[in-house]
Amino acid sequence: MRKNILQYLEATLAICPDKVAYMDPDTSLTFQQVYNQSRTVASKILAAGYTKEPVVVFMKKCPEQIAAFYSAIYAGCSYVPIDEEMPKMRIQRIFETLKPRVMICDDTTDNLTSELGFTGEKFLWAQASEGASDEAALDAVRKAQIDTDPVYIMYTSGSTGIPKGVAVCHRSLIDYIESFCEVMKFDQDTIFGNQTPLYFDASLKDVYPTLKCGCTTVIIPKQLFMFPMKLVDFLDEYKINTVCWVVTALTMISAFKVLDKKIPQYLKLIGFGGEVFPVKQFNRWKKALPEARFLNLYGPTEGTGVAMWYEADREFADDEKIPLGQAFDNVEILLLDENDKLADEGEICIRGTAVSLGYYNDFGRTSENFVQNPLNTLYPEIIYRTGDLAKRREDGLLEFVSRKDYQIKHMGHRVELGEIEANVNAQAGVITSCAVYLREKDRIELYYTGDTGEKELGDALKVSLPRYMVPTKITKLDAMPLTNNGKIDRKLLTSKGE
């Protein structure tokens, strides 16, 4: 039984040491190089007296950054990825709760560390990865590690403006990777096209299956996602056959009708998540790649990334929703109503080893969402409240309804902003949309992209929606604002209305 996530690397190393594990257009690392370099840097971290504590990895997105993650783990530490595209204030707030003493950086980030208020010890990757590793020290760390030790701490947005550091242990990550790889059917011929920044948990879908299955992950340059045709050319050039992307990255290609001109010829597996996939855009993908597998992947960072899956093996009608599907192995999904009773519609709560350790150095906010299972009064058992609402269909599959905080009371009626968006996305000429609620003004505003006019869309919504759900104001945008991880920036749009 595996108790350390890096046992995947060591098993694969014995099979294909010289195969490329991670690459981008500028560089590549084989499994042997990943192993050697990460253990060398880990040895230097240990020699400096650091173990069982967070190691900040502040590097440009590249294969070496992934190897740096493993350096921290080999040293018995947890890694904390940050990136120069993250706002300076956000990083400073992360450091306030993290209180890091050690960092791995590179030539592109070294000069930025002092601006962030970091005063600890730095290891420059280029120099630290040279030389031999201390096998005795590394072996001693491995013997002392257990599977409930944290692997990483990834920071997500907090409603108060203070980021929350989600700590995930080896056992949670191992369970996730085992189930995920089985469902997705990865093998040594899998070539991932990585889209997600490495400081978001969605990147786990590429990074760790590569270790387990002996695959290859290709890091796609961020700028290509602004040029859909060039992006498809890149997928073909590197023979990428598998992507696990946020929905907005996929809709960018389909909405601009790139698939009418060029179809990724090697792509055979598409995982999507992060947001609801507009059915019109999904159908364009399914029609273009009828033989490919499409899987809807759902799960929060606090649930080790992915908790549910559904294989979307057909096209859907405009008024349908793509289901969330079923739980992964060793995960149970509870739908709890307002009285904490099991219901056919309620808040998605996660039970099992997928539940993370909680928020790092933040017991207050941990206790708000990581709670005792209200259905179990006999022994301690922590579940995670996601804040997402879902309902159980007649076929037993779950279907996303909305966020709890997207469920509003307007004109005396309960309104799901997600239902408004689903109706908007079904209209001809609409690419994507976002409905926001201005609480102080008690009004709903809609933002969208597409070819249809604002008045035309408004008239159509008066037919398809109840009067109290029709947005007070409708604004057409040239492009939908996105967060760093590719989701629609709802906070920004809400502030525009205020």
Side-chain angles (χ1 to χ4, degrees):
M1 183 183 74
R2 288 186 169 85
K3 69 171 187 176
N4 188 297
I5 197 69
L6 292 179
Q7 288 176 286
Y8 288 132
L9 170 59
E10 292 149 11
T12 297
L13 185 69
I15 300 171
C16 51
D18 298 323
K19 183 178 180 180
V20 171
Y22 306 105
M23 66 180 298
D24 62 18
D26 299 319
T27 186
S28 65
L29 291 178
T30 65
F31 286 100
Q32 187 71 61
Q33 289 172 319
V34 170
Y35 178 81
N36 292 345
Q37 293 181 22
S38 60
R39 288 174 68 86
T40 295
V41 176
S43 299
K44 293 177 181 177
I45 291 173
L46 287 169
Y50 305 106
T51 192
K52 294 187 177 181
E53 60 186 284
V55 174
V56 173
V57 178
F58 184 28
M59 300 171 64
K60 68 178 181 180
K61 186 179 181 182
C62 62
E64 288 80 3
Q65 184 183 17
I66 299 174
F69 298 162
Y70 304 152
S71 298
I73 302 171
Y74 269 124
C77 298
S78 51
Y79 66 87
V80 186
I82 63 173
D83 191 278
E84 60 183 339
E85 70 179 26
M86 297 168 66
K88 177 181 175 182
M89 182 175 294
R90 176 179 173 82
I91 296 175
Q92 290 173 333
R93 286 176 173 171
I94 288 173
F95 286 175
E96 288 174 7
T97 58
L98 191 67
K99 296 178 172 51
R101 300 197 304 151
V102 57
M103 174 187 291
I104 301 173
C105 56
D106 61 23
D107 293 337
T108 68
T109 59
D110 184 25
N111 294 332
L112 302 175
T113 58
S114 59
E115 299 177 14
L116 303 175
F118 179 75
T119 58
E121 185 167 1
K122 295 184 295 186
F123 290 87
L124 274 172
W125 180 262
Q127 289 91 336
S129 59
E130 294 180 349
S133 58
D134 186 336
E135 297 301 312
L138 294 171
D139 288 346
V141 167
R142 174 62 62 83
K143 289 178 181 178
Q145 284 180 309
I146 61 175
D147 64 6
T148 53
D149 288 336
V151 178
Y152 62 77
I153 302 168
M154 288 198 182
Y155 277 82
T156 65
S157 298
S159 58
T160 62
I162 306 299
K164 298 178 293 188
V166 180
V168 172
C169 70
H170 287 266
R171 174 48 48 199
S172 296
L173 188 55
I174 288 169
D175 268 9
Y176 162 41
I177 296 305
E178 288 289 333
S179 297
F180 187 58
C181 290
E182 181 179 354
V183 166
M184 303 296 281
K185 301 177 183 177
F186 301 139
D187 57 30
Q188 286 193 14
D189 294 327
T190 297
I191 302 176
F192 289 104
N194 167 266
Q195 167 259 328
T196 314
L198 297 176
Y199 58 89
F200 285 107
D201 68 288
S203 65
L204 301 176
K205 299 180 183 72
D206 311 321
V207 168
Y208 287 103
T210 293
L211 291 189
K212 172 177 167 54
C213 302
C215 326
T216 296
T217 291
V218 181
I219 297 174
I220 302 174
K222 180 181 177 180
Q223 61 269 24
L224 287 182
F225 287 89
M226 299 174 64
F227 304 98
M229 188 64 74
K230 291 182 179 180
L231 175 58
V232 174
D233 288 340
F234 185 93
L235 296 178
D236 284 350
E237 179 183 354
Y238 287 87
K239 299 182 178 180
I240 291 168
N241 54 36
T242 303
V243 298
C244 294
W245 289 358
V246 295
V247 167
T248 48
L250 293 167
T251 56
M252 182 199 63
I253 293 176
S254 57
F256 287 97
K257 301 182 179 180
V258 173
L259 297 175
D260 294 342
K261 306 171 186 175
K262 185 176 179 65
I263 296 173
Q265 59 180 311
Y266 299 98
L267 202 54
K268 64 180 183 180
L269 180 58
I270 299 97
F272 58 90
E275 293 183 299
V276 174
F277 204 152
V279 167
K280 285 191 303 182
Q281 303 303 328
F282 170 80
N283 286 341
R284 289 181 182 179
W285 274 96
K286 186 63 180 172
K287 184 176 181 180
L289 294 168
E291 301 302 318
R293 295 179 66 213
F294 291 83
L295 287 98
N296 189 12
L297 304 171
Y298 166 85
T301 306
E302 290 88 343
T304 316
V306 176
M308 302 179 66
W309 65 281
Y310 172 79
E311 184 156 357
D313 56 1
R314 62 179 176 84
E315 294 185 30
F316 290 78
D318 287 349
D319 59 351
E320 284 188 277
K321 287 185 178 180
I322 301 174
L324 297 177
Q326 59 187 310
F328 277 93
D329 190 34
N330 210 28
V331 175
E332 184 178 13
I333 302 297
L334 308 174
L335 293 187
L336 299 182
D337 63 17
E338 295 176 353
N339 298 314
D340 280 341
K341 303 296 183 183
L342 283 176
D344 288 329
E345 182 170 340
E347 181 179 7
I348 298 174
C349 298
I350 300 175
R351 173 178 175 266
T353 55
V355 177
S356 69
L357 298 173
Y359 301 125
Y360 187 84
N361 195 21
D362 195 341
F363 287 94
R365 286 195 290 182
T366 296
S367 64
E368 294 174 4
N369 297 319
F370 295 83
V371 302
Q372 171 66 24
N373 182 357
L375 306 179
N376 175 6
T377 60
L378 300 177
Y379 56 86
E381 181 187 28
I382 299 299
I383 63 171
Y384 174 69
R385 291 185 173 276
T386 66
D388 290 330
L389 300 175
K391 63 181 179 182
R392 192 174 302 280
R393 308 189 330 175
E394 290 184 0
D395 58 8
L397 298 176
L398 295 189
E399 184 178 282
F400 182 77
V401 174
S402 76
R403 285 285 301 168
K404 281 180 71 174
D405 43 8
Y406 297 166
Q407 187 181 82
I408 64 171
K409 199 70 175 289
H410 180 57
M411 297 175 65
H413 298 271
R414 191 181 76 172
V415 175
E416 304 284 0
L417 296 178
E419 184 178 350
I420 297 174
E421 293 168 357
N423 273 271
V424 175
N425 291 336
Q427 302 298 324
V430 172
I431 296 174
T432 188
S433 68
C434 178
V436 300
Y437 178 59
L438 308 182
R439 197 170 301 277
E440 291 186 3
K441 298 179 180 179
D442 189 26
R443 57 187 278 169
I444 299 170
E445 295 193 357
L446 176 74
Y447 297 88
Y448 76 99
T449 61
D451 299 329
T452 191
E454 295 170 356
K455 185 180 184 305
E456 182 183 359
L457 178 58
D459 291 342
L461 294 180
K462 289 175 183 177
V463 175
S464 65
L465 289 172
R467 180 178 59 84
Y468 60 85
M469 293 179 67
V470 176
T472 305
K473 183 180 179 182
I474 298 176
T475 303
K476 180 179 178 180
L477 301 175
D478 293 331
M480 193 67 71
L482 303 177
T483 61
N484 287 333
N485 63 338
K487 295 182 180 181
I488 294 173
D489 195 334
R490 294 177 180 272
K491 287 184 178 180
L492 178 62
L493 292 176
T494 301
S495 66
K496 287 169 70 75
E498 295 172 343

